[in-house]
Amino acid sequence: MMSRADGLVQRRNVNRDSADGVSKENGQSAADKLDYEEDIDDGDSKETRLTLMEEVLLLGLKDKEGYTSFWNDSISSGLRGCILVELALRQRIELEKAGMRRKSLQMRKVIIKNETPTGDVLLDEALKHIKETNPPETIQSWIEYLSGETWNPLKIKYQLKNVRERLAKNLVEKGVLTTEKQNFLLFDMTTHPLTDNEAKVRLVKKVQDAVLSRWINDPHRMDKRLLALLLLAQASDVLESAFSPLNDEDYELATRRLRELSDMDLEVESMKGSTNDVIWAVFANFNK
């Protein structure tokens, strides 16, 4: 069982305003755009659209400092999980069928559903690796490979390097962040402070509303992209910025509802209705 929600206890009493928002990408074909937009609310269409990876990174970045917490050891693998889910939401990858013997989520292999490039460099790099790998690998293996956390020297080539920096640069191009150099005594570090406060405010409000005013007590009736954002933000341990402004009552309610998602039987959920097995498999990897 995941204990991410337990890590949200320390918070600041700060008030913030907000409204929903998502993402806009360059270089996509009409078909890709349809894949991408099918899980996005119409009301968000005029806002700057962000990928799952960018949203999770933005939640984890310190607004003024422009970097993620040095103590967060979950965000690296969490962002790789985001990449796999984003590919699934864009109809590029899926899990093999469970079969008569009902293979578990952790045992089912990732297979290519559509090899058409997405137009996103990180996604297409991961898609290329998955396409070229035979026999196919599991979600757990791909998160390890893309993170560079594998003992197999033949798989090191699959590591996606500098993911946080590359995502931050995407957010700079979208006008959400800026780029600065900061001196940390022994070394200089490139940082990306927040420049578009509204983008962060909309994102925080979207997350808050999802577990409070717009809560749906059934993951299969929730928007798949929003469900994935909640689960992956929790797995990446970046929800403090979204929940810290809440009063104690709302904070307790929000964390309790997230625990309800964490405590679900993911194998059972993956067999229900119109679902995306990759979301459940990625979350199962972090929920061990």
Side-chain angles (χ1 to χ4, degrees), residues 100-146:
M100 293 296 292
R101 298 185 181 182
R102 300 303 309 175
K103 284 186 181 179
S104 70
L105 287 168
Q106 295 294 292
M107 295 300 294
R108 292 162 65 185
K109 305 300 176 63
V110 179
I111 57 177
I112 295 291
K113 184 176 183 180
N114 178 355
E115 61 185 47
T116 306
T118 66
D120 181 289
V121 176
L122 272 175
L123 293 178
D124 290 341
E125 190 176 333
L127 184 65
K128 180 175 180 288
H129 291 329
I130 296 170
K131 176 186 172 183
E132 293 176 350
T133 300
N134 190 30
E137 300 278 7
T138 64
I139 285 287
Q140 178 179 347
S141 293
W142 275 116
I143 290 176
E144 291 174 355
Y145 296 163
L146 298 177

mmCIF file of all heavy atoms in Angstrom, residues 100-146:
data_model
loop_
_atom_site.group_PDB
_atom_site.id
_atom_site.type_symbol
_atom_site.label_atom_id
_atom_site.label_comp_id
_atom_site.label_asym_id
_atom_site.label_seq_id
_atom_site.Cartn_x
_atom_site.Cartn_y
_atom_site.Cartn_z
ATOM 1 N N MET A 100 -6.365 -16.151 -20.800
ATOM 2 C CA MET A 100 -7.207 -17.073 -20.030
ATOM 3 C C MET A 100 -6.688 -17.249 -18.604
ATOM 4 O O MET A 100 -7.462 -17.473 -17.672
ATOM 5 C CB MET A 100 -7.274 -18.425 -20.725
ATOM 6 C CG MET A 100 -7.997 -18.393 -22.069
ATOM 7 S SD MET A 100 -9.745 -17.941 -21.889
ATOM 8 C CE MET A 100 -10.350 -19.377 -21.029
ATOM 9 N N ARG A 101 -5.390 -17.150 -18.428
ATOM 10 C CA ARG A 101 -4.809 -17.350 -17.100
ATOM 11 C C ARG A 101 -4.758 -16.059 -16.287
ATOM 12 O O ARG A 101 -4.215 -16.051 -15.191
ATOM 13 C CB ARG A 101 -3.405 -17.941 -17.228
ATOM 14 C CG ARG A 101 -3.402 -19.312 -17.894
ATOM 15 C CD ARG A 101 -2.015 -19.915 -17.894
ATOM 16 N NE ARG A 101 -1.997 -21.215 -18.549
ATOM 17 C CZ ARG A 101 -0.918 -21.987 -18.651
ATOM 18 N NH1 ARG A 101 0.236 -21.571 -18.125
ATOM 19 N NH2 ARG A 101 -0.978 -23.146 -19.263
ATOM 20 N N ARG A 102 -5.329 -14.996 -16.847
ATOM 21 C CA ARG A 102 -5.424 -13.718 -16.151
ATOM 22 C C ARG A 102 -4.065 -13.263 -15.600
ATOM 23 O O ARG A 102 -3.859 -13.160 -14.380
ATOM 24 C CB ARG A 102 -6.445 -13.777 -15.013
ATOM 25 C CG ARG A 102 -7.858 -14.104 -15.403
ATOM 26 C CD ARG A 102 -8.440 -13.167 -16.427
ATOM 27 N NE ARG A 102 -8.295 -11.749 -16.076
ATOM 28 C CZ ARG A 102 -8.651 -10.749 -16.894
ATOM 29 N NH1 ARG A 102 -9.111 -11.017 -18.109
ATOM 30 N NH2 ARG A 102 -8.510 -9.503 -16.506
ATOM 31 N N LYS A 103 -3.146 -12.978 -16.502
ATOM 32 C CA LYS A 103 -1.851 -12.440 -16.084
ATOM 33 C C LYS A 103 -2.048 -11.168 -15.269
ATOM 34 O O LYS A 103 -2.910 -10.348 -15.576
ATOM 35 C CB LYS A 103 -0.994 -12.102 -17.309
ATOM 36 C CG LYS A 103 -0.362 -13.283 -18.003
ATOM 37 C CD LYS A 103 0.552 -12.757 -19.093
ATOM 38 C CE LYS A 103 1.214 -13.905 -19.848
ATOM 39 N NZ LYS A 103 2.093 -13.388 -20.931
ATOM 40 N N SER A 104 -1.246 -10.987 -14.253
ATOM 41 C CA SER A 104 -1.345 -9.787 -13.420
ATOM 42 C C SER A 104 -0.845 -8.572 -14.195
ATOM 43 O O SER A 104 -0.124 -8.693 -15.197
ATOM 44 C CB SER A 104 -0.527 -9.958 -12.144
ATOM 45 O OG SER A 104 0.861 -9.941 -12.449
ATOM 46 N N LEU A 105 -1.211 -7.387 -13.714
ATOM 47 C CA LEU A 105 -0.759 -6.151 -14.343
ATOM 48 C C LEU A 105 0.755 -6.097 -14.430
ATOM 49 O O LEU A 105 1.324 -5.630 -15.421
ATOM 50 C CB LEU A 105 -1.270 -4.946 -13.541
ATOM 51 C CG LEU A 105 -2.761 -4.619 -13.645
ATOM 52 C CD1 LEU A 105 -3.135 -3.594 -12.577
ATOM 53 C CD2 LEU A 105 -3.109 -4.097 -15.029
ATOM 54 N N GLN A 106 1.417 -6.571 -13.378
ATOM 55 C CA GLN A 106 2.874 -6.502 -13.329
ATOM 56 C C GLN A 106 3.551 -7.482 -14.283
ATOM 57 O O GLN A 106 4.725 -7.303 -14.618
ATOM 58 C CB GLN A 106 3.356 -6.767 -11.906
ATOM 59 C CG GLN A 106 2.935 -5.711 -10.899
ATOM 60 C CD GLN A 106 3.586 -4.364 -11.165
ATOM 61 O OE1 GLN A 106 4.790 -4.207 -11.014
ATOM 62 N NE2 GLN A 106 2.796 -3.386 -11.571
ATOM 63 N N MET A 107 2.815 -8.498 -14.726
ATOM 64 C CA MET A 107 3.396 -9.505 -15.611
ATOM 65 C C MET A 107 3.102 -9.237 -17.087
ATOM 66 O O MET A 107 3.771 -9.788 -17.962
ATOM 67 C CB MET A 107 2.866 -10.892 -15.230
ATOM 68 C CG MET A 107 3.289 -11.365 -13.854
ATOM 69 S SD MET A 107 5.096 -11.480 -13.695
ATOM 70 C CE MET A 107 5.438 -12.806 -14.860
ATOM 71 N N ARG A 108 2.100 -8.424 -17.358
ATOM 72 C CA ARG A 108 1.717 -8.165 -18.752
ATOM 73 C C ARG A 108 2.712 -7.228 -19.434
ATOM 74 O O ARG A 108 3.191 -6.266 -18.837
ATOM 75 C CB ARG A 108 0.291 -7.607 -18.806
ATOM 76 C CG ARG A 108 -0.737 -8.645 -18.397
ATOM 77 C CD ARG A 108 -2.066 -8.017 -18.028
ATOM 78 N NE ARG A 108 -2.697 -7.367 -19.169
ATOM 79 C CZ ARG A 108 -3.820 -6.656 -19.074
ATOM 80 N NH1 ARG A 108 -4.414 -6.502 -17.901
ATOM 81 N NH2 ARG A 108 -4.353 -6.114 -20.156
ATOM 82 N N LYS A 109 3.027 -7.507 -20.686
ATOM 83 C CA LYS A 109 4.046 -6.761 -21.415
ATOM 84 C C LYS A 109 3.456 -5.542 -22.131
ATOM 85 O O LYS A 109 2.286 -5.532 -22.511
ATOM 86 C CB LYS A 109 4.726 -7.684 -22.434
ATOM 87 C CG LYS A 109 5.321 -8.963 -21.846
ATOM 88 C CD LYS A 109 6.373 -8.648 -20.795
ATOM 89 C CE LYS A 109 6.918 -9.900 -20.116
ATOM 90 N NZ LYS A 109 7.612 -10.798 -21.043
ATOM 91 N N VAL A 110 4.303 -4.539 -22.311
ATOM 92 C CA VAL A 110 3.917 -3.324 -23.034
ATOM 93 C C VAL A 110 4.123 -3.570 -24.527
ATOM 94 O O VAL A 110 5.211 -3.986 -24.945
ATOM 95 C CB VAL A 110 4.774 -2.121 -22.591
ATOM 96 C CG1 VAL A 110 4.383 -0.865 -23.375
ATOM 97 C CG2 VAL A 110 4.631 -1.894 -21.095
ATOM 98 N N ILE A 111 3.102 -3.309 -25.315
ATOM 99 C CA ILE A 111 3.210 -3.511 -26.762
ATOM 100 C C ILE A 111 2.795 -2.234 -27.501
ATOM 101 O O ILE A 111 2.073 -1.397 -26.962
ATOM 102 C CB ILE A 111 2.355 -4.702 -27.252
ATOM 103 C CG1 ILE A 111 0.891 -4.503 -26.877
ATOM 104 C CG2 ILE A 111 2.884 -6.009 -26.665
ATOM 105 C CD1 ILE A 111 -0.021 -5.612 -27.406
ATOM 106 N N ILE A 112 3.283 -2.110 -28.714
ATOM 107 C CA ILE A 112 2.976 -0.941 -29.536
ATOM 108 C C ILE A 112 1.570 -1.072 -30.122
ATOM 109 O O ILE A 112 1.205 -2.108 -30.672
ATOM 110 C CB ILE A 112 3.992 -0.796 -30.687
ATOM 111 C CG1 ILE A 112 5.390 -0.520 -30.132
ATOM 112 C CG2 ILE A 112 3.565 0.309 -31.653
ATOM 113 C CD1 ILE A 112 5.552 0.842 -29.493
ATOM 114 N N LYS A 113 0.804 -0.015 -29.985
ATOM 115 C CA LYS A 113 -0.539 0.043 -30.563
ATOM 116 C C LYS A 113 -0.540 0.874 -31.846
ATOM 117 O O LYS A 113 -1.228 0.570 -32.809
ATOM 118 C CB LYS A 113 -1.510 0.646 -29.544
ATOM 119 C CG LYS A 113 -2.961 0.670 -29.981
ATOM 120 C CD LYS A 113 -3.848 1.186 -28.853
ATOM 121 C CE LYS A 113 -5.319 1.152 -29.256
ATOM 122 N NZ LYS A 113 -6.181 1.655 -28.141
ATOM 123 N N ASN A 114 0.248 1.937 -31.841
ATOM 124 C CA ASN A 114 0.362 2.827 -32.997
ATOM 125 C C ASN A 114 1.746 3.448 -32.940
ATOM 126 O O ASN A 114 2.078 4.137 -31.987
ATOM 127 C CB ASN A 114 -0.737 3.900 -32.941
ATOM 128 C CG ASN A 114 -0.650 4.892 -34.093
ATOM 129 O OD1 ASN A 114 0.266 4.862 -34.897
ATOM 130 N ND2 ASN A 114 -1.613 5.796 -34.152
ATOM 131 N N GLU A 115 2.572 3.215 -33.936
ATOM 132 C CA GLU A 115 3.956 3.685 -33.893
ATOM 133 C C GLU A 115 4.144 5.079 -34.495
ATOM 134 O O GLU A 115 5.262 5.571 -34.602
ATOM 135 C CB GLU A 115 4.877 2.701 -34.600
ATOM 136 C CG GLU A 115 4.574 2.499 -36.072
ATOM 137 C CD GLU A 115 5.454 1.414 -36.692
ATOM 138 O OE1 GLU A 115 5.575 0.341 -36.082
ATOM 139 O OE2 GLU A 115 6.020 1.691 -37.769
ATOM 140 N N THR A 116 3.057 5.747 -34.859
ATOM 141 C CA THR A 116 3.151 7.102 -35.392
ATOM 142 C C THR A 116 3.737 8.047 -34.351
ATOM 143 O O THR A 116 3.256 8.082 -33.211
ATOM 144 C CB THR A 116 1.758 7.631 -35.793
ATOM 145 O OG1 THR A 116 1.147 6.701 -36.684
ATOM 146 C CG2 THR A 116 1.863 8.994 -36.469
ATOM 147 N N PRO A 117 4.766 8.822 -34.679
ATOM 148 C CA PRO A 117 5.349 9.760 -33.715
ATOM 149 C C PRO A 117 4.311 10.738 -33.178
ATOM 150 O O PRO A 117 3.359 11.100 -33.870
ATOM 151 C CB PRO A 117 6.430 10.481 -34.532
ATOM 152 C CG PRO A 117 6.781 9.524 -35.621
ATOM 153 C CD PRO A 117 5.501 8.821 -35.969
ATOM 154 N N THR A 118 4.526 11.181 -31.955
ATOM 155 C CA THR A 118 3.582 12.103 -31.311
ATOM 156 C C THR A 118 3.934 13.565 -31.556
ATOM 157 O O THR A 118 3.099 14.447 -31.386
ATOM 158 C CB THR A 118 3.572 11.889 -29.788
ATOM 159 O OG1 THR A 118 4.850 12.269 -29.252
ATOM 160 C CG2 THR A 118 3.274 10.439 -29.447
ATOM 161 N N GLY A 119 5.200 13.825 -31.917
ATOM 162 C CA GLY A 119 5.647 15.205 -32.050
ATOM 163 C C GLY A 119 6.314 15.722 -30.788
ATOM 164 O O GLY A 119 6.885 16.807 -30.774
ATOM 165 N N ASP A 120 6.266 14.941 -29.710
ATOM 166 C CA ASP A 120 6.937 15.289 -28.460
ATOM 167 C C ASP A 120 8.232 14.480 -28.384
ATOM 168 O O ASP A 120 8.205 13.257 -28.462
ATOM 169 C CB ASP A 120 6.020 14.967 -27.268
ATOM 170 C CG ASP A 120 6.646 15.334 -25.933
ATOM 171 O OD1 ASP A 120 7.598 14.633 -25.522
ATOM 172 O OD2 ASP A 120 6.179 16.286 -25.297
ATOM 173 N N VAL A 121 9.354 15.165 -28.220
ATOM 174 C CA VAL A 121 10.664 14.500 -28.302
ATOM 175 C C VAL A 121 10.823 13.392 -27.268
ATOM 176 O O VAL A 121 11.268 12.284 -27.584
ATOM 177 C CB VAL A 121 11.805 15.530 -28.165
ATOM 178 C CG1 VAL A 121 13.157 14.825 -28.156
ATOM 179 C CG2 VAL A 121 11.751 16.531 -29.307
ATOM 180 N N LEU A 122 10.475 13.672 -26.013
ATOM 181 C CA LEU A 122 10.614 12.665 -24.959
ATOM 182 C C LEU A 122 9.723 11.462 -25.214
ATOM 183 O O LEU A 122 10.153 10.311 -25.088
ATOM 184 C CB LEU A 122 10.272 13.277 -23.601
ATOM 185 C CG LEU A 122 11.391 13.947 -22.821
ATOM 186 C CD1 LEU A 122 10.829 14.604 -21.573
ATOM 187 C CD2 LEU A 122 12.484 12.945 -22.453
ATOM 188 N N LEU A 123 8.475 11.720 -25.576
ATOM 189 C CA LEU A 123 7.548 10.620 -25.847
ATOM 190 C C LEU A 123 8.025 9.777 -27.014
ATOM 191 O O LEU A 123 7.975 8.538 -26.973
ATOM 192 C CB LEU A 123 6.148 11.166 -26.132
ATOM 193 C CG LEU A 123 5.416 11.845 -24.981
ATOM 194 C CD1 LEU A 123 4.068 12.376 -25.450
ATOM 195 C CD2 LEU A 123 5.234 10.903 -23.797
ATOM 196 N N ASP A 124 8.492 10.430 -28.052
ATOM 197 C CA ASP A 124 8.920 9.683 -29.235
ATOM 198 C C ASP A 124 10.203 8.898 -28.991
ATOM 199 O O ASP A 124 10.410 7.830 -29.571
ATOM 200 C CB ASP A 124 9.086 10.643 -30.422
ATOM 201 C CG ASP A 124 7.751 11.178 -30.918
ATOM 202 O OD1 ASP A 124 6.716 10.560 -30.605
ATOM 203 O OD2 ASP A 124 7.741 12.212 -31.609
ATOM 204 N N GLU A 125 11.068 9.410 -28.116
ATOM 205 C CA GLU A 125 12.277 8.669 -27.744
ATOM 206 C C GLU A 125 11.895 7.391 -27.009
ATOM 207 O O GLU A 125 12.425 6.305 -27.293
ATOM 208 C CB GLU A 125 13.166 9.547 -26.871
ATOM 209 C CG GLU A 125 14.551 8.989 -26.628
ATOM 210 C CD GLU A 125 15.432 9.956 -25.842
ATOM 211 O OE1 GLU A 125 15.202 11.180 -25.911
ATOM 212 O OE2 GLU A 125 16.357 9.468 -25.154
ATOM 213 N N ALA A 126 10.960 7.501 -26.061
ATOM 214 C CA ALA A 126 10.503 6.327 -25.326
ATOM 215 C C ALA A 126 9.772 5.361 -26.262
ATOM 216 O O ALA A 126 9.956 4.136 -26.181
ATOM 217 C CB ALA A 126 9.579 6.740 -24.186
ATOM 218 N N LEU A 127 8.942 5.887 -27.145
ATOM 219 C CA LEU A 127 8.192 5.055 -28.093
ATOM 220 C C LEU A 127 9.146 4.273 -28.991
ATOM 221 O O LEU A 127 8.928 3.087 -29.268
ATOM 222 C CB LEU A 127 7.275 5.942 -28.941
ATOM 223 C CG LEU A 127 6.336 5.227 -29.921
ATOM 224 C CD1 LEU A 127 5.328 4.378 -29.161
ATOM 225 C CD2 LEU A 127 5.613 6.256 -30.806
ATOM 226 N N LYS A 128 10.222 4.904 -29.418
ATOM 227 C CA LYS A 128 11.221 4.244 -30.260
ATOM 228 C C LYS A 128 11.871 3.084 -29.509
ATOM 229 O O LYS A 128 12.065 1.995 -30.069
ATOM 230 C CB LYS A 128 12.272 5.263 -30.693
ATOM 231 C CG LYS A 128 13.382 4.704 -31.587
ATOM 232 C CD LYS A 128 14.289 5.846 -32.047
ATOM 233 C CE LYS A 128 15.404 5.326 -32.949
ATOM 234 N NZ LYS A 128 16.419 4.553 -32.209
ATOM 235 N N HIS A 129 12.215 3.290 -28.241
ATOM 236 C CA HIS A 129 12.814 2.219 -27.446
ATOM 237 C C HIS A 129 11.859 1.036 -27.318
ATOM 238 O O HIS A 129 12.268 -0.126 -27.457
ATOM 239 C CB HIS A 129 13.174 2.735 -26.050
ATOM 240 C CG HIS A 129 14.293 3.726 -26.032
ATOM 241 N ND1 HIS A 129 15.324 3.701 -26.940
ATOM 242 C CD2 HIS A 129 14.540 4.776 -25.191
ATOM 243 C CE1 HIS A 129 16.169 4.683 -26.670
ATOM 244 N NE2 HIS A 129 15.714 5.344 -25.620
ATOM 245 N N ILE A 130 10.597 1.324 -27.028
ATOM 246 C CA ILE A 130 9.611 0.254 -26.847
ATOM 247 C C ILE A 130 9.411 -0.509 -28.155
ATOM 248 O O ILE A 130 9.339 -1.743 -28.167
ATOM 249 C CB ILE A 130 8.271 0.841 -26.348
ATOM 250 C CG1 ILE A 130 8.459 1.454 -24.957
ATOM 251 C CG2 ILE A 130 7.184 -0.232 -26.307
ATOM 252 C CD1 ILE A 130 7.267 2.261 -24.468
ATOM 253 N N LYS A 131 9.370 0.219 -29.245
ATOM 254 C CA LYS A 131 9.178 -0.394 -30.565
ATOM 255 C C LYS A 131 10.324 -1.334 -30.915
ATOM 256 O O LYS A 131 10.113 -2.410 -31.490
ATOM 257 C CB LYS A 131 9.051 0.712 -31.617
ATOM 258 C CG LYS A 131 8.947 0.199 -33.047
ATOM 259 C CD LYS A 131 8.977 1.365 -34.031
ATOM 260 C CE LYS A 131 9.063 0.863 -35.472
ATOM 261 N NZ LYS A 131 9.175 1.987 -36.437
ATOM 262 N N GLU A 132 11.540 -0.944 -30.543
ATOM 263 C CA GLU A 132 12.720 -1.710 -30.948
ATOM 264 C C GLU A 132 13.044 -2.864 -30.006
ATOM 265 O O GLU A 132 13.972 -3.629 -30.266
ATOM 266 C CB GLU A 132 13.924 -0.769 -31.038
ATOM 267 C CG GLU A 132 13.802 0.261 -32.163
ATOM 268 C CD GLU A 132 14.958 1.248 -32.179
ATOM 269 O OE1 GLU A 132 15.749 1.246 -31.196
ATOM 270 O OE2 GLU A 132 15.072 2.014 -33.154
ATOM 271 N N THR A 133 12.312 -2.998 -28.915
ATOM 272 C CA THR A 133 12.624 -4.032 -27.928
ATOM 273 C C THR A 133 11.837 -5.312 -28.189
ATOM 274 O O THR A 133 10.609 -5.297 -28.247
ATOM 275 C CB THR A 133 12.309 -3.520 -26.508
ATOM 276 O OG1 THR A 133 13.100 -2.364 -26.255
ATOM 277 C CG2 THR A 133 12.627 -4.582 -25.473
ATOM 278 N N ASN A 134 12.549 -6.388 -28.346
ATOM 279 C CA ASN A 134 11.934 -7.692 -28.592
ATOM 280 C C ASN A 134 12.735 -8.753 -27.846
ATOM 281 O O ASN A 134 13.941 -8.859 -28.037
ATOM 282 C CB ASN A 134 11.915 -7.982 -30.097
ATOM 283 C CG ASN A 134 11.074 -9.207 -30.427
ATOM 284 O OD1 ASN A 134 10.111 -9.519 -29.732
ATOM 285 N ND2 ASN A 134 11.449 -9.906 -31.478
ATOM 286 N N PRO A 135 12.103 -9.563 -26.978
ATOM 287 C CA PRO A 135 10.666 -9.569 -26.680
ATOM 288 C C PRO A 135 10.244 -8.351 -25.859
ATOM 289 O O PRO A 135 11.101 -7.679 -25.269
ATOM 290 C CB PRO A 135 10.504 -10.857 -25.873
ATOM 291 C CG PRO A 135 11.827 -11.064 -25.229
ATOM 292 C CD PRO A 135 12.841 -10.592 -26.206
ATOM 293 N N PRO A 136 8.939 -8.068 -25.813
ATOM 294 C CA PRO A 136 8.445 -6.910 -25.065
ATOM 295 C C PRO A 136 8.754 -7.021 -23.578
ATOM 296 O O PRO A 136 9.016 -8.104 -23.059
ATOM 297 C CB PRO A 136 6.928 -6.950 -25.323
ATOM 298 C CG PRO A 136 6.764 -7.775 -26.551
ATOM 299 C CD PRO A 136 7.856 -8.792 -26.502
ATOM 300 N N GLU A 137 8.711 -5.884 -22.894
ATOM 301 C CA GLU A 137 9.006 -5.822 -21.462
ATOM 302 C C GLU A 137 7.784 -5.330 -20.685
ATOM 303 O O GLU A 137 6.834 -4.811 -21.251
ATOM 304 C CB GLU A 137 10.184 -4.869 -21.213
ATOM 305 C CG GLU A 137 11.475 -5.265 -21.902
ATOM 306 C CD GLU A 137 12.243 -6.316 -21.123
ATOM 307 O OE1 GLU A 137 11.704 -6.834 -20.119
ATOM 308 O OE2 GLU A 137 13.388 -6.608 -21.498
ATOM 309 N N THR A 138 7.832 -5.482 -19.368
ATOM 310 C CA THR A 138 6.731 -5.062 -18.500
ATOM 311 C C THR A 138 6.828 -3.571 -18.168
ATOM 312 O O THR A 138 7.851 -2.931 -18.424
ATOM 313 C CB THR A 138 6.759 -5.845 -17.176
ATOM 314 O OG1 THR A 138 7.989 -5.515 -16.475
ATOM 315 C CG2 THR A 138 6.676 -7.343 -17.413
ATOM 316 N N ILE A 139 5.763 -3.031 -17.576
ATOM 317 C CA ILE A 139 5.762 -1.641 -17.132
ATOM 318 C C ILE A 139 6.884 -1.396 -16.131
ATOM 319 O O ILE A 139 7.625 -0.407 -16.220
ATOM 320 C CB ILE A 139 4.408 -1.277 -16.486
ATOM 321 C CG1 ILE A 139 3.329 -1.100 -17.565
ATOM 322 C CG2 ILE A 139 4.532 -0.024 -15.623
ATOM 323 C CD1 ILE A 139 3.456 0.166 -18.386
ATOM 324 N N GLN A 140 7.044 -2.294 -15.167
ATOM 325 C CA GLN A 140 8.101 -2.131 -14.162
ATOM 326 C C GLN A 140 9.468 -2.059 -14.821
ATOM 327 O O GLN A 140 10.289 -1.207 -14.470
ATOM 328 C CB GLN A 140 8.071 -3.284 -13.161
ATOM 329 C CG GLN A 140 9.169 -3.188 -12.119
ATOM 330 C CD GLN A 140 9.135 -4.309 -11.100
ATOM 331 O OE1 GLN A 140 8.150 -5.042 -11.010
ATOM 332 N NE2 GLN A 140 10.194 -4.452 -10.337
ATOM 333 N N SER A 141 9.707 -2.935 -15.781
ATOM 334 C CA SER A 141 10.995 -2.930 -16.474
ATOM 335 C C SER A 141 11.210 -1.618 -17.215
ATOM 336 O O SER A 141 12.302 -1.035 -17.169
ATOM 337 C CB SER A 141 11.074 -4.100 -17.455
ATOM 338 O OG SER A 141 11.094 -5.331 -16.765
ATOM 339 N N TRP A 142 10.167 -1.111 -17.868
ATOM 340 C CA TRP A 142 10.325 0.123 -18.636
ATOM 341 C C TRP A 142 10.570 1.326 -17.741
ATOM 342 O O TRP A 142 11.341 2.228 -18.082
ATOM 343 C CB TRP A 142 9.136 0.344 -19.559
ATOM 344 C CG TRP A 142 9.305 -0.386 -20.850
ATOM 345 C CD1 TRP A 142 8.540 -1.408 -21.356
ATOM 346 C CD2 TRP A 142 10.363 -0.174 -21.798
ATOM 347 N NE1 TRP A 142 9.059 -1.840 -22.551
ATOM 348 C CE2 TRP A 142 10.169 -1.107 -22.847
ATOM 349 C CE3 TRP A 142 11.443 0.690 -21.861
ATOM 350 C CZ2 TRP A 142 11.030 -1.172 -23.943
ATOM 351 C CZ3 TRP A 142 12.311 0.623 -22.954
ATOM 352 C CH2 TRP A 142 12.089 -0.297 -23.974
ATOM 353 N N ILE A 143 9.944 1.373 -16.589
ATOM 354 C CA ILE A 143 10.217 2.476 -15.667
ATOM 355 C C ILE A 143 11.672 2.417 -15.206
ATOM 356 O O ILE A 143 12.360 3.435 -15.118
ATOM 357 C CB ILE A 143 9.245 2.437 -14.470
ATOM 358 C CG1 ILE A 143 7.831 2.809 -14.935
ATOM 359 C CG2 ILE A 143 9.699 3.395 -13.364
ATOM 360 C CD1 ILE A 143 6.771 2.717 -13.871
ATOM 361 N N GLU A 144 12.168 1.218 -14.943
ATOM 362 C CA GLU A 144 13.571 1.057 -14.542
ATOM 363 C C GLU A 144 14.510 1.426 -15.683
ATOM 364 O O GLU A 144 15.505 2.127 -15.472
ATOM 365 C CB GLU A 144 13.817 -0.386 -14.099
ATOM 366 C CG GLU A 144 13.116 -0.754 -12.796
ATOM 367 C CD GLU A 144 13.258 -2.228 -12.453
ATOM 368 O OE1 GLU A 144 13.822 -2.980 -13.287
ATOM 369 O OE2 GLU A 144 12.821 -2.631 -11.364
ATOM 370 N N TYR A 145 14.210 0.960 -16.885
ATOM 371 C CA TYR A 145 15.083 1.244 -18.034
ATOM 372 C C TYR A 145 15.129 2.743 -18.333
ATOM 373 O O TYR A 145 16.200 3.328 -18.509
ATOM 374 C CB TYR A 145 14.594 0.514 -19.289
ATOM 375 C CG TYR A 145 14.627 -0.993 -19.200
ATOM 376 C CD1 TYR A 145 13.895 -1.773 -20.095
ATOM 377 C CD2 TYR A 145 15.375 -1.650 -18.231
ATOM 378 C CE1 TYR A 145 13.907 -3.156 -20.023
ATOM 379 C CE2 TYR A 145 15.393 -3.030 -18.151
ATOM 380 C CZ TYR A 145 14.659 -3.782 -19.052
ATOM 381 O OH TYR A 145 14.671 -5.147 -18.978
ATOM 382 N N LEU A 146 13.946 3.369 -18.397
ATOM 383 C CA LEU A 146 13.887 4.789 -18.740
ATOM 384 C C LEU A 146 14.519 5.653 -17.658
ATOM 385 O O LEU A 146 14.994 6.757 -17.931
ATOM 386 C CB LEU A 146 12.435 5.213 -18.975
ATOM 387 C CG LEU A 146 11.707 4.524 -20.134
ATOM 388 C CD1 LEU A 146 10.257 4.988 -20.207
ATOM 389 C CD2 LEU A 146 12.412 4.793 -21.470
#
